[in-house]
Amino acid sequence: MKMKSLVSAIVLASAGFVSHSALAADVSNPLQTITLEDNSGFFGALFTGGNAGATFADQWSFTTTSAGNLTADLVSLSGNVKNGLDITGFSLFDATGVVLAGTQLSTGLTDQWSLNYDNLAAGTYYVQVSGEVLSNAAGKYYADIALAPVPEPETYGMMLAGLGLVGFMARRRKKAQA
């Protein structure tokens, strides 16, 4: 009787160890570079089948030579809520650490995240996409990033001067008609 209990305990303990170690798999992709053309770029990753329970933290680097407003969107589509990927984070980093954590817009059949940062200085950055593979089916995410230039102070000065000139001309015409 004691032998059966001992064998049962060993079998249960080893089964728990195997399933626990399978959950800890990391399927992160190596650091990759986003090629920005006309201040925008696309990136994404595909996780093949057989990775249920695995986690990932993919990093995508990019460099900007001028200040700008950053917008990035990420989406992962699933056939149902138990397949595909569960995206748990979308963040922007610089050399000193986290600059901005993304905003989750939806989860479930569609995981959608957004990053918006005004006046991003010139430099090298990376975005990190983290999550979990939910099933043994393949899963993927897609993302885009865009940088809109920040107008120089001279541009605002010219705009104000132009508006002042238009106002002056309108006032002069009104006086001439009166």
mmCIF file of all heavy atoms in Angstrom, residues 59-87:
data_model
loop_
_atom_site.group_PDB
_atom_site.id
_atom_site.type_symbol
_atom_site.label_atom_id
_atom_site.label_comp_id
_atom_site.label_asym_id
_atom_site.label_seq_id
_atom_site.Cartn_x
_atom_site.Cartn_y
_atom_site.Cartn_z
ATOM 1 N N GLN A 59 11.609 42.839 -29.761
ATOM 2 C CA GLN A 59 12.066 44.230 -29.791
ATOM 3 C C GLN A 59 12.386 44.624 -31.226
ATOM 4 O O GLN A 59 13.043 43.875 -31.953
ATOM 5 C CB GLN A 59 13.285 44.408 -28.898
ATOM 6 C CG GLN A 59 12.970 44.154 -27.442
ATOM 7 C CD GLN A 59 14.184 44.271 -26.543
ATOM 8 O OE1 GLN A 59 15.325 44.303 -27.002
ATOM 9 N NE2 GLN A 59 13.938 44.337 -25.247
ATOM 10 N N TRP A 60 11.918 45.819 -31.596
ATOM 11 C CA TRP A 60 12.079 46.367 -32.945
ATOM 12 C C TRP A 60 12.691 47.760 -32.816
ATOM 13 O O TRP A 60 12.085 48.651 -32.242
ATOM 14 C CB TRP A 60 10.720 46.454 -33.630
ATOM 15 C CG TRP A 60 10.059 45.124 -33.793
ATOM 16 C CD1 TRP A 60 9.287 44.454 -32.890
ATOM 17 C CD2 TRP A 60 10.130 44.290 -34.937
ATOM 18 N NE1 TRP A 60 8.863 43.264 -33.406
ATOM 19 C CE2 TRP A 60 9.372 43.135 -34.672
ATOM 20 C CE3 TRP A 60 10.754 44.418 -36.174
ATOM 21 C CZ2 TRP A 60 9.223 42.109 -35.589
ATOM 22 C CZ3 TRP A 60 10.596 43.392 -37.090
ATOM 23 C CH2 TRP A 60 9.842 42.251 -36.799
ATOM 24 N N SER A 61 13.903 47.959 -33.353
ATOM 25 C CA SER A 61 14.581 49.246 -33.209
ATOM 26 C C SER A 61 14.396 50.111 -34.450
ATOM 27 O O SER A 61 14.165 49.619 -35.551
ATOM 28 C CB SER A 61 16.074 49.039 -32.939
ATOM 29 O OG SER A 61 16.716 48.558 -34.098
ATOM 30 N N PHE A 62 14.489 51.432 -34.240
ATOM 31 C CA PHE A 62 14.453 52.396 -35.330
ATOM 32 C C PHE A 62 15.213 53.637 -34.899
ATOM 33 O O PHE A 62 15.397 53.902 -33.720
ATOM 34 C CB PHE A 62 13.012 52.751 -35.734
ATOM 35 C CG PHE A 62 12.229 53.474 -34.669
ATOM 36 C CD1 PHE A 62 12.160 54.858 -34.655
ATOM 37 C CD2 PHE A 62 11.551 52.765 -33.679
ATOM 38 C CE1 PHE A 62 11.438 55.529 -33.677
ATOM 39 C CE2 PHE A 62 10.828 53.426 -32.701
ATOM 40 C CZ PHE A 62 10.770 54.809 -32.696
ATOM 41 N N THR A 63 15.664 54.398 -35.882
ATOM 42 C CA THR A 63 16.398 55.630 -35.636
ATOM 43 C C THR A 63 15.728 56.758 -36.396
ATOM 44 O O THR A 63 15.356 56.589 -37.553
ATOM 45 C CB THR A 63 17.862 55.492 -36.088
ATOM 46 O OG1 THR A 63 18.461 54.413 -35.364
ATOM 47 C CG2 THR A 63 18.644 56.766 -35.822
ATOM 48 N N THR A 64 15.577 57.890 -35.727
ATOM 49 C CA THR A 64 15.048 59.081 -36.374
ATOM 50 C C THR A 64 16.086 60.186 -36.264
ATOM 51 O O THR A 64 16.733 60.341 -35.226
ATOM 52 C CB THR A 64 13.695 59.510 -35.767
ATOM 53 O OG1 THR A 64 13.243 60.691 -36.415
ATOM 54 C CG2 THR A 64 13.762 59.720 -34.283
ATOM 55 N N THR A 65 16.252 60.930 -37.351
ATOM 56 C CA THR A 65 17.272 61.983 -37.373
ATOM 57 C C THR A 65 16.700 63.356 -37.047
ATOM 58 O O THR A 65 17.446 64.317 -36.944
ATOM 59 C CB THR A 65 17.949 62.030 -38.753
ATOM 60 O OG1 THR A 65 16.944 62.211 -39.751
ATOM 61 C CG2 THR A 65 18.721 60.749 -39.013
ATOM 62 N N SER A 66 15.378 63.441 -36.903
ATOM 63 C CA SER A 66 14.769 64.724 -36.542
ATOM 64 C C SER A 66 13.606 64.480 -35.591
ATOM 65 O O SER A 66 13.057 63.380 -35.528
ATOM 66 C CB SER A 66 14.286 65.469 -37.788
ATOM 67 O OG SER A 66 13.321 64.698 -38.471
ATOM 68 N N ALA A 67 13.227 65.516 -34.858
ATOM 69 C CA ALA A 67 12.111 65.402 -33.916
ATOM 70 C C ALA A 67 10.809 65.181 -34.678
ATOM 71 O O ALA A 67 10.667 65.599 -35.824
ATOM 72 C CB ALA A 67 12.011 66.673 -33.075
ATOM 73 N N GLY A 68 9.863 64.516 -34.031
ATOM 74 C CA GLY A 68 8.579 64.265 -34.675
ATOM 75 C C GLY A 68 7.561 63.717 -33.701
ATOM 76 O O GLY A 68 7.881 63.381 -32.562
ATOM 77 N N ASN A 69 6.331 63.648 -34.165
ATOM 78 C CA ASN A 69 5.250 63.048 -33.388
ATOM 79 C C ASN A 69 5.104 61.599 -33.832
ATOM 80 O O ASN A 69 4.905 61.325 -35.014
ATOM 81 C CB ASN A 69 3.943 63.806 -33.608
ATOM 82 C CG ASN A 69 4.033 65.232 -33.103
ATOM 83 O OD1 ASN A 69 4.780 65.535 -32.188
ATOM 84 N ND2 ASN A 69 3.264 66.117 -33.699
ATOM 85 N N LEU A 70 5.217 60.673 -32.885
ATOM 86 C CA LEU A 70 5.178 59.244 -33.192
ATOM 87 C C LEU A 70 3.773 58.695 -33.014
ATOM 88 O O LEU A 70 3.098 58.997 -32.028
ATOM 89 C CB LEU A 70 6.132 58.488 -32.266
ATOM 90 C CG LEU A 70 6.107 56.978 -32.426
ATOM 91 C CD1 LEU A 70 7.503 56.451 -32.657
ATOM 92 C CD2 LEU A 70 5.496 56.319 -31.214
ATOM 93 N N THR A 71 3.354 57.885 -33.970
ATOM 94 C CA THR A 71 2.111 57.123 -33.871
ATOM 95 C C THR A 71 2.429 55.701 -34.285
ATOM 96 O O THR A 71 3.044 55.486 -35.336
ATOM 97 C CB THR A 71 1.030 57.694 -34.811
ATOM 98 O OG1 THR A 71 0.793 59.048 -34.462
ATOM 99 C CG2 THR A 71 -0.261 56.912 -34.693
ATOM 100 N N ALA A 72 2.028 54.725 -33.475
ATOM 101 C CA ALA A 72 2.232 53.316 -33.808
ATOM 102 C C ALA A 72 0.982 52.537 -33.416
ATOM 103 O O ALA A 72 0.377 52.810 -32.379
ATOM 104 C CB ALA A 72 3.456 52.766 -33.080
ATOM 105 N N ASP A 73 0.594 51.606 -34.257
ATOM 106 C CA ASP A 73 -0.570 50.755 -34.010
ATOM 107 C C ASP A 73 -0.184 49.306 -34.208
ATOM 108 O O ASP A 73 0.596 48.981 -35.109
ATOM 109 C CB ASP A 73 -1.713 51.118 -34.972
ATOM 110 C CG ASP A 73 -2.212 52.528 -34.745
ATOM 111 O OD1 ASP A 73 -2.711 52.794 -33.645
ATOM 112 O OD2 ASP A 73 -2.080 53.358 -35.660
ATOM 113 N N LEU A 74 -0.733 48.435 -33.375
ATOM 114 C CA LEU A 74 -0.448 47.008 -33.428
ATOM 115 C C LEU A 74 -1.762 46.250 -33.384
ATOM 116 O O LEU A 74 -2.679 46.634 -32.647
ATOM 117 C CB LEU A 74 0.429 46.610 -32.234
ATOM 118 C CG LEU A 74 0.755 45.134 -32.117
ATOM 119 C CD1 LEU A 74 2.227 44.964 -31.789
ATOM 120 C CD2 LEU A 74 -0.078 44.474 -31.056
ATOM 121 N N VAL A 75 -1.860 45.157 -34.153
ATOM 122 C CA VAL A 75 -3.064 44.333 -34.138
ATOM 123 C C VAL A 75 -2.678 42.863 -34.272
ATOM 124 O O VAL A 75 -1.714 42.525 -34.958
ATOM 125 C CB VAL A 75 -4.057 44.764 -35.257
ATOM 126 C CG1 VAL A 75 -3.500 44.481 -36.633
ATOM 127 C CG2 VAL A 75 -5.398 44.110 -35.083
ATOM 128 N N SER A 76 -3.417 42.003 -33.579
ATOM 129 C CA SER A 76 -3.287 40.558 -33.691
ATOM 130 C C SER A 76 -4.694 39.986 -33.778
ATOM 131 O O SER A 76 -5.519 40.223 -32.890
ATOM 132 C CB SER A 76 -2.553 39.983 -32.475
ATOM 133 O OG SER A 76 -2.527 38.572 -32.540
ATOM 134 N N LEU A 77 -4.976 39.259 -34.854
ATOM 135 C CA LEU A 77 -6.308 38.679 -35.071
ATOM 136 C C LEU A 77 -6.277 37.197 -34.759
ATOM 137 O O LEU A 77 -5.319 36.506 -35.091
ATOM 138 C CB LEU A 77 -6.749 38.889 -36.523
ATOM 139 C CG LEU A 77 -6.768 40.328 -37.019
ATOM 140 C CD1 LEU A 77 -7.013 40.370 -38.510
ATOM 141 C CD2 LEU A 77 -7.816 41.119 -36.280
ATOM 142 N N SER A 78 -7.352 36.687 -34.143
ATOM 143 C CA SER A 78 -7.465 35.266 -33.806
ATOM 144 C C SER A 78 -8.786 34.722 -34.335
ATOM 145 O O SER A 78 -9.753 35.465 -34.474
ATOM 146 C CB SER A 78 -7.440 35.067 -32.289
ATOM 147 O OG SER A 78 -6.282 35.627 -31.735
ATOM 148 N N GLY A 79 -8.825 33.426 -34.601
ATOM 149 C CA GLY A 79 -10.070 32.786 -35.021
ATOM 150 C C GLY A 79 -11.092 32.762 -33.898
ATOM 151 O O GLY A 79 -12.291 32.876 -34.122
ATOM 152 N N ASN A 80 -10.605 32.589 -32.666
ATOM 153 C CA ASN A 80 -11.452 32.684 -31.470
ATOM 154 C C ASN A 80 -10.559 33.076 -30.298
ATOM 155 O O ASN A 80 -9.342 33.118 -30.431
ATOM 156 C CB ASN A 80 -12.232 31.381 -31.215
ATOM 157 C CG ASN A 80 -11.331 30.214 -30.890
ATOM 158 O OD1 ASN A 80 -10.506 30.285 -30.006
ATOM 159 N ND2 ASN A 80 -11.482 29.119 -31.642
ATOM 160 N N VAL A 81 -11.160 33.366 -29.167
ATOM 161 C CA VAL A 81 -10.400 33.908 -28.032
ATOM 162 C C VAL A 81 -9.407 32.915 -27.423
ATOM 163 O O VAL A 81 -8.553 33.310 -26.639
ATOM 164 C CB VAL A 81 -11.336 34.447 -26.928
ATOM 165 C CG1 VAL A 81 -12.119 35.629 -27.439
ATOM 166 C CG2 VAL A 81 -12.261 33.363 -26.412
ATOM 167 N N LYS A 82 -9.486 31.633 -27.792
ATOM 168 C CA LYS A 82 -8.562 30.638 -27.242
ATOM 169 C C LYS A 82 -7.409 30.323 -28.193
ATOM 170 O O LYS A 82 -6.553 29.526 -27.880
ATOM 171 C CB LYS A 82 -9.326 29.362 -26.908
ATOM 172 C CG LYS A 82 -10.314 29.562 -25.775
ATOM 173 C CD LYS A 82 -10.994 28.281 -25.398
ATOM 174 C CE LYS A 82 -11.973 28.545 -24.272
ATOM 175 N NZ LYS A 82 -12.625 27.350 -23.807
ATOM 176 N N ASN A 83 -7.384 30.950 -29.376
ATOM 177 C CA ASN A 83 -6.315 30.735 -30.356
ATOM 178 C C ASN A 83 -5.500 32.002 -30.530
ATOM 179 O O ASN A 83 -5.891 33.074 -30.093
ATOM 180 C CB ASN A 83 -6.900 30.337 -31.720
ATOM 181 C CG ASN A 83 -7.370 28.908 -31.747
ATOM 182 O OD1 ASN A 83 -6.950 28.090 -30.954
ATOM 183 N ND2 ASN A 83 -8.260 28.608 -32.670
ATOM 184 N N GLY A 84 -4.387 31.863 -31.224
ATOM 185 C CA GLY A 84 -3.588 33.035 -31.574
ATOM 186 C C GLY A 84 -2.739 33.532 -30.434
ATOM 187 O O GLY A 84 -2.200 32.762 -29.645
ATOM 188 N N LEU A 85 -2.637 34.862 -30.355
ATOM 189 C CA LEU A 85 -1.771 35.508 -29.371
ATOM 190 C C LEU A 85 -2.573 36.370 -28.418
ATOM 191 O O LEU A 85 -3.601 36.919 -28.787
ATOM 192 C CB LEU A 85 -0.761 36.416 -30.089
ATOM 193 C CG LEU A 85 0.093 35.795 -31.186
ATOM 194 C CD1 LEU A 85 0.958 36.854 -31.841
ATOM 195 C CD2 LEU A 85 0.948 34.671 -30.642
ATOM 196 N N ASP A 86 -2.085 36.484 -27.206
ATOM 197 C CA ASP A 86 -2.605 37.455 -26.247
ATOM 198 C C ASP A 86 -1.508 38.495 -26.070
ATOM 199 O O ASP A 86 -0.498 38.238 -25.415
ATOM 200 C CB ASP A 86 -2.944 36.778 -24.918
ATOM 201 C CG ASP A 86 -3.469 37.764 -23.872
ATOM 202 O OD1 ASP A 86 -3.938 38.857 -24.259
ATOM 203 O OD2 ASP A 86 -3.403 37.443 -22.673
ATOM 204 N N ILE A 87 -1.679 39.656 -26.693
ATOM 205 C CA ILE A 87 -0.685 40.724 -26.584
ATOM 206 C C ILE A 87 -0.873 41.401 -25.229
ATOM 207 O O ILE A 87 -1.951 41.870 -24.908
ATOM 208 C CB ILE A 87 -0.840 41.753 -27.724
ATOM 209 C CG1 ILE A 87 -0.808 41.078 -29.097
ATOM 210 C CG2 ILE A 87 0.222 42.841 -27.607
ATOM 211 C CD1 ILE A 87 0.487 40.404 -29.446
#
